[in-house]
Amino acid sequence: MVVLEARQLTKRYAGLPAVSSVSFSIGEGDILGYLGPNGSGKSTTVKMLTGLLEPSTGHVLYRGRDINVDLPAYKRKLGYAPEEANLYSFLTGWEYLELVGTLREIDAKRLKAKADSMLNDFAMFPHRHSPISSYSKGMRQRIMLIAALMHDPDALILDEPFSGLDVSMALVFRQVIKLLAHSGKAIFFCSPVLEVVDKLCTHLVLLRQGAVVACGAIEDIRSKGMAPALEEAFLQLTERVDSDGLAANIVAAVQAPC
Amino acid sequence: MATSPWRDKPFARLVAHFAAVIVNAGQDSGESDLNLGIGGLLAILAVPGAFVSITLFDKYSSLLRYFRNGRAFDHYIASIPDKYFFVVFSMVVTGVVVTLKWDRIFPSLQDYANLAPLPIPARNIYVANLAAIALLACIFAIDVNAVSALLFPMVVIAEGGTLIGYVAFVGAHAATVILASAFTFFACFAIIGALLSCLPHAAFRKVSLFVRLAIMIALMAMLCSIFSVPPQLAKLAANPHSYVRWLPPVWYLALYQSFQGKAFGELAQLASLALKALALVFGLAAFFGALGYRQYFRRIPESSDRRQTPSRTRLQLGSALLDRILLKDPFQRACYHFGLRALFRSETHCILIGAFAGLGLITAAQSIMSVPAAKPGAISTIPHADLLAAPLCVVYFLVAGLRLTFELPAGLTSNWIFRLTVDRAIRDGSAVARKLILSFLVPGVILPSLVAYSVLWGPQVGLLEGAVVTAMSLLLIETLLIRFRKIPFACAMPSFQNNAISVIVVYVIGFFVFTSMTSHIEHWMLLQPIRFLGAIPFAGLSWYALRAVNYEEGDPDAALVYDSRIEDAVQKLNLLGS
């Protein structure tokens, strides 16, 4: 069953399209990877999917229903972790989770049990009473991921979720995503790391200059690109970069006299 | 080889960088700050001096004096209270700016991360930072005083003065206010430097907030002295041990008078104190600044905010009780606790509230001190109206201060979590704001005044006074929260540059109505307590009317807002793009 669907999503700023006619769907158990170079419109799409940004045209549907019909109900079922871990730095990690959990109307006792358990599993329990201003990037990312998962959402939207995580925690979280998908969640995530998308996703959307250039199951993408590796397919479909030439130019600029 | 312009030199570039950082501190992170924009801030700060100068035409106009049958007077002597105001205003503005930008006076971790790897001596970084601060302090001092330096002398000696006399007056005014500003600046800088030199970094961070609060309260007290000090100056000769001798603004007022050859007796002695004090604070600032900077810059990479919050058991118990009694709604619980934490942990918010509370306490103290001495043998069964006004002064400033701070975001970029989780249509931010305000008022003002008045004048007076303070507090809260549709500390600060002056005027008038009028009516009612019964329906209707305005059913504007964007007067339809 389709959980989350984007239909012809378009967003214009001063007449210029940042995202143009993007359509895709995520079913139960699907992990959709949203891929594209910097500035291709990934974060704009994410904000429209979460209801934080109103599209110029197009719709976002949750289980067949436009999210704007009952946006609060949709947000209750949604877990979202943005790209930047913008958390209130004067709060401690625990206080932040308590804030989010209370706003999501999780029972206080269950909230404490859940938060303590997840803090422990994410290796954040000893730091839970330290202010977020003292956290490293990875620690903030972990708090944000806990906050996104705490209320057992139906749909997860993750914008570069592995950013800042160390290798072991990234492996753990990769497994978490797989298990959540296996239990029927619909997962959407943006990542610039091709290896992660390749290993994790069941479906893929490739974005270029705000428009979808390819979408579908991972294997179909590879075959369309007529290349065995996803990286080559990605480069063929999105950017043609003369990496050797660019590198030579950069070195020449560095070595130019001061 | 062509030499590069001075502004491309590394040192000048560094000064420009630090000046930009000080001015724009907090904007990139969305953290709370009074970021009005440098242009807006300079414009606002220039207005009071000009405004006060213009209003003084009434006092110095010989034509108006003739119509009023007033006597001629020495303008230079009669202008002493007005000169005192300009000196105090200059010092207070400088002090407030330095206190609010306290964190930027020394380089931050970000500066260290960016500048330490570069081949720039630490001494150059320090001197450039200092130059940037001094440059901005000069700009503020000139901005605050430029218009008044030209207008005020013109107003005072417009009739009967000469051009040379005017120029001399302008010079004396400009020199005095700039020296007074410099004194305040270097005094604050010396305090920071001394703390940095003497305390470990962690202790400095803990102590710095309290020191900033103390400085803010002292500045507010200085501002309030514009009413009480000038009358004391005439009695200086008769009272050589008067406390006014020790007030820095009085030294600079004496200096002002000495520039004009009008300093006599005690004032002549105090004039030299102004220059000595300036030299002293400058020396201390240079010494402690150099000493503190070196240690501070080295400690930056080791500094950490890693500290534990207070005992959780105690807090949890209090919190559980509060949740059970007062905050039954999860939204209110979350936002109330968030609000309290933002208020107590954000230095800017703390300082603002401290300043307003300080103003409230000072005006309350002035109100109490203005009560006429009782006649010997006379026994008063009810308090004087000025005594009744004292708690109302604290209430007014506390409520107004909290209302203002609610508009300052504590991390604007982080409010996405509220946007994501809160149902805008049914959540009431004003209920949270109301409870936050009452959390300060009840233990801080209402209960203490009830107890104090009961002890001093008996339980009947105490209860009636408590009831009046409570009722007036609730009415004031409802008035100030009309159309408040935000989560406190979570939304963008509104643009108020266009109507700042009118807002200030309304608040000043409101203060007099709230305190003076209410206290006099209350005093009249206390003469015959049965009169209070007549006030109950009035208060009840007023409160009901305010609530009705706030909670109008079907009001399309009732949803929570996160931005405070003012609609453009002309909007582009963009027909071609859609």
Side-chain angles (χ1 to χ4, degrees):
Chain A
M1 184 189 176
V2 172
V3 176
L4 199 59
E5 188 182 348
R7 276 189 197 167
Q8 299 293 311
L9 279 183
T10 301
K11 182 66 185 177
R12 289 188 200 91
Y13 293 104
L16 293 171
V19 170
S20 185
S21 301
V22 165
S23 297
F24 56 81
S25 62
I26 315 171
E28 286 177 357
D30 286 346
I31 305 174
L32 179 77
Y34 204 62
L35 215 49
N38 291 333
S40 56
K42 297 193 299 296
S43 291
T44 307
T45 309
V46 164
K47 286 176 188 165
M48 288 191 285
L49 283 180
T50 54
L52 294 177
L53 190 65
E54 209 172 306
S56 302
T57 58
H59 304 275
V60 177
L61 289 90
Y62 174 71
R63 297 192 186 276
R65 215 170 159 217
D66 193 316
I67 62 172
N68 290 310
V69 170
D70 191 355
L71 194 57
Y74 165 64
K75 287 179 179 178
R76 276 194 281 275
K77 298 292 185 185
L78 185 69
Y80 170 51
E83 181 186 353
E84 292 278 341
N86 279 319
L87 310 175
Y88 286 106
S89 56
F90 58 87
L91 296 176
T92 64
W94 161 252
E95 286 169 353
Y96 186 80
L97 295 177
E98 190 189 33
L99 169 70
V100 175
T102 309
L103 286 173
R104 289 199 176 279
E105 301 184 16
I106 300 175
D107 175 75
K109 282 184 187 164
R110 288 197 190 124
L111 169 61
K112 186 173 185 330
K114 265 197 169 187
D116 282 349
S117 171
M118 292 179 80
L119 282 165
N120 193 45
D121 294 331
F122 275 94
M124 285 296 295
F125 195 78
H127 311 291
R128 67 196 187 284
H129 294 314
S130 297
I132 289 173
S133 55
S134 67
Y135 287 1
S136 65
K137 185 179 177 188
M139 292 165 81
R140 290 179 189 228
Q141 188 71 10
R142 280 178 260 168
I143 290 292
M144 201 165 61
L145 290 172
I146 296 172
L149 296 171
M150 242 183 356
H151 59 291
D152 192 21
D154 275 356
L156 268 173
I157 296 176
L158 309 169
D159 198 345
E160 299 192 30
F162 300 103
S163 170
L165 294 183
D166 58 34
V167 172
S168 52
M169 199 48 65
L171 280 170
V172 167
F173 193 63
R174 218 173 286 169
Q175 202 57 24
V176 166
I177 291 176
K178 282 184 183 167
L179 289 173
L180 287 173
H182 190 68
S183 70
K185 313 286 182 199
I187 299 173
F188 170 102
F189 81 87
C190 297
S191 180
V193 182
L194 295 172
E195 289 82 6
V196 170
V197 172
D198 194 7
K199 285 176 186 166
L200 203 50
C201 295
T202 58
H203 295 74
L204 190 62
V205 170
L206 281 177
L207 208 64
R208 183 186 174 197
Q209 293 178 355
V212 174
V213 293
C215 71
I218 292 277
E219 288 306 319
D220 293 344
I221 297 285
R222 284 203 190 100
S223 63
K224 269 185 192 169
M226 305 299 285
L230 185 61
E231 185 173 345
E232 288 182 45
F234 173 72
L235 287 173
Q236 283 180 16
L237 289 167
T238 55
E239 301 279 332
R240 284 184 174 78
V241 172
D242 175 16
S243 52
D244 291 339
L246 271 178
N249 287 344
I250 291 169
V251 170
V254 165
Q255 292 175 340
C258 295
Chain B
M1 189 170 97
T3 54
S4 54
W6 64 269
R7 58 181 173 277
D8 289 338
K9 301 283 183 196
F11 183 78
R13 192 63 194 84
L14 210 51
V15 172
H17 160 74
F18 279 122
V21 165
I22 292 170
V23 166
N24 297 317
Q27 280 183 348
D28 54 348
S29 66
E31 292 299 326
S32 162
D33 199 347
L34 283 180
N35 279 314
L36 308 171
I38 184 70
L41 189 60
L42 290 175
I44 289 172
L45 291 176
V47 168
F51 183 73
V52 170
S53 302
I54 292 168
T55 58
L56 289 172
F57 268 116
D58 181 59
K59 177 178 173 182
Y60 296 100
S61 167
S62 59
L63 181 65
L64 290 173
R65 201 166 52 247
Y66 171 77
F67 285 129
R68 291 177 196 144
N69 294 321
R71 291 183 195 169
F73 53 75
D74 184 339
H75 287 207
Y76 289 90
I77 302 296
S79 60
I80 285 177
D82 307 315
K83 289 170 187 167
Y84 185 77
F85 164 78
F86 286 111
V87 168
V88 165
F89 182 65
S90 184
M91 294 176 86
V92 166
V93 167
T94 305
V96 166
V97 169
V98 171
T99 308
L100 287 177
K101 295 289 185 179
W102 178 282
D103 284 341
R104 290 307 316 156
I105 288 180
F106 283 91
S108 66
L109 188 60
Q110 191 178 45
D111 293 320
Y112 183 89
N114 283 282
L115 298 175
L118 297 174
I120 305 173
R123 182 188 66 248
N124 283 16
I125 297 175
Y126 169 60
V127 174
N129 193 52
L130 194 61
I133 294 162
L135 178 68
L136 285 173
C138 281
I139 291 173
F140 274 105
I142 292 169
D143 174 69
V144 164
N145 298 298
V147 178
S148 61
L150 295 172
L151 267 183
F152 175 63
M154 191 188 300
V155 167
V156 174
I157 62 169
E159 293 161 17
T162 62
L163 178 62
I164 293 173
Y166 169 70
V167 171
F169 204 139
V170 168
H173 185 98
T176 308
V177 293
I178 287 174
L179 288 173
S181 287
F183 170 83
T184 312
F185 175 80
F186 288 118
C188 293
F189 197 78
I191 293 171
I192 300 170
L195 288 173
L196 271 175
S197 308
C198 303
L199 296 175
H201 185 73
F204 170 75
R205 288 188 67 87
K206 281 183 189 169
V207 163
S208 122
L209 175 62
F210 296 103
V211 172
R212 287 167 86 180
L213 266 172
I215 293 175
M216 266 300 197
I217 292 173
L219 290 170
M220 294 302 111
M222 194 191 296
L223 194 61
C224 293
S225 72
I226 57 177
F227 303 109
S228 55
V229 164
Q232 306 286 330
L233 293 172
K235 303 171 194 169
L236 258 183
N239 186 10
H241 301 294
S242 170
Y243 71 95
V244 299
R245 291 180 59 88
W246 303 106
L247 299 177
V250 174
W251 306 340
Y252 288 93
L253 175 66
L255 187 66
Y256 200 153
Q257 291 295 97
S258 74
F259 282 153
Q260 296 181 318
K262 298 284 182 179
F264 306 110
E266 296 295 321
L267 280 184
Q269 291 177 13
L270 292 174
S272 63
L273 208 54
L275 294 171
K276 287 176 190 169
L278 178 60
L280 178 65
V281 294
F282 177 76
L284 287 172
F287 175 72
F288 282 120
L291 191 63
Y293 181 86
R294 204 175 161 76
Q295 295 175 12
Y296 180 80
F297 203 63
R298 281 181 181 165
R299 287 197 300 234
I300 286 175
E302 299 158 16
S303 66
S304 167
D305 274 329
R306 206 174 292 273
R307 64 186 187 277
Q308 294 291 334
T309 52
S311 164
R312 288 202 48 79
T313 314
R314 225 175 28 243
L315 290 175
Q316 273 175 339
L317 285 173
S319 176
L321 202 63
L322 200 63
D323 290 351
R324 199 178 282 270
I325 296 170
L326 206 62
L327 308 163
K328 293 172 184 172
D329 183 311
F331 167 77
Q332 287 190 19
R333 271 203 301 276
C335 294
Y336 177 85
H337 291 298
F338 168 78
L340 274 187
R341 286 163 184 154
L343 208 46
F344 286 114
R345 294 181 192 173
S346 161
E347 289 205 356
T348 305
H349 289 90
C350 250
I351 286 164
L352 270 178
I353 285 298
F356 274 94
L359 261 177
L361 289 170
I362 290 157
T363 50
Q366 282 187 325
S367 185
I368 292 169
M369 285 193 300
S370 64
V371 173
K375 291 176 187 166
I379 300 169
S380 174
T381 55
I382 60 171
H384 190 273
D386 288 340
L387 280 172
L388 294 169
L392 294 170
C393 292
V394 181
V395 164
Y396 188 84
F397 280 104
L398 206 48
V399 174
L402 284 165
R403 177 65 182 85
L404 172 68
T405 56
F406 289 161
E407 299 281 4
L408 301 183
L412 190 59
T413 52
S414 308
N415 76 353
W416 62 271
I417 194 62
F418 289 106
R419 291 173 186 259
L420 189 70
T421 53
V422 173
D423 182 0
R424 287 181 59 210
I426 63 169
R427 295 308 181 193
D428 179 15
S430 65
V432 177
R434 195 175 295 117
K435 286 171 184 170
L436 280 169
I437 295 173
L438 286 171
S439 301
F440 284 85
L441 280 188
V442 171
V445 186
I446 295 175
L447 288 177
S449 66
L450 193 149
V451 169
Y453 285 84
S454 299
V455 166
L456 292 169
W457 283 281
Q460 185 187 30
V461 170
L463 280 170
L464 289 171
E465 165 67 3
V468 168
V469 172
T470 305
M472 292 308 293
S473 301
L474 291 173
L475 287 174
L476 181 64
I477 292 170
E478 290 304 321
T479 307
L480 292 184
L481 289 181
I482 285 177
R483 302 281 178 209
F484 183 75
R485 299 278 181 256
K486 298 178 179 177
I487 297 170
F489 312 113
C491 309
M493 190 166 139
S495 166
F496 64 89
Q497 288 94 326
N498 294 335
N499 60 347
I501 302 300
S502 52
V503 166
I504 292 170
V505 168
V506 165
Y507 270 86
V508 168
I509 295 170
F511 171 75
F512 288 106
V513 169
F514 186 80
T515 56
S516 187
M517 248 178 70
T518 305
S519 61
H520 281 86
I521 293 172
E522 189 186 352
H523 185 261
W524 172 76
M525 290 197 289
L526 279 172
L527 291 170
Q528 287 187 31
I530 194 88
R531 291 170 180 165
F532 276 94
L533 291 175
I536 295 172
F538 173 75
L541 273 171
S542 304
W543 182 82
Y544 182 78
L546 287 167
R547 294 279 286 196
V549 167
N550 235 347
Y551 292 101
E552 200 180 311
E553 221 166 289
D555 182 2
D557 296 328
L560 279 176
V561 296
Y562 292 100
D563 299 311
S564 298
R565 262 181 259 115
I566 294 175
E567 292 289 332
D568 293 335
V570 177
Q571 291 192 4
K572 290 185 284 187
L573 294 176
N574 198 23
L575 295 171
L576 292 176
S578 56

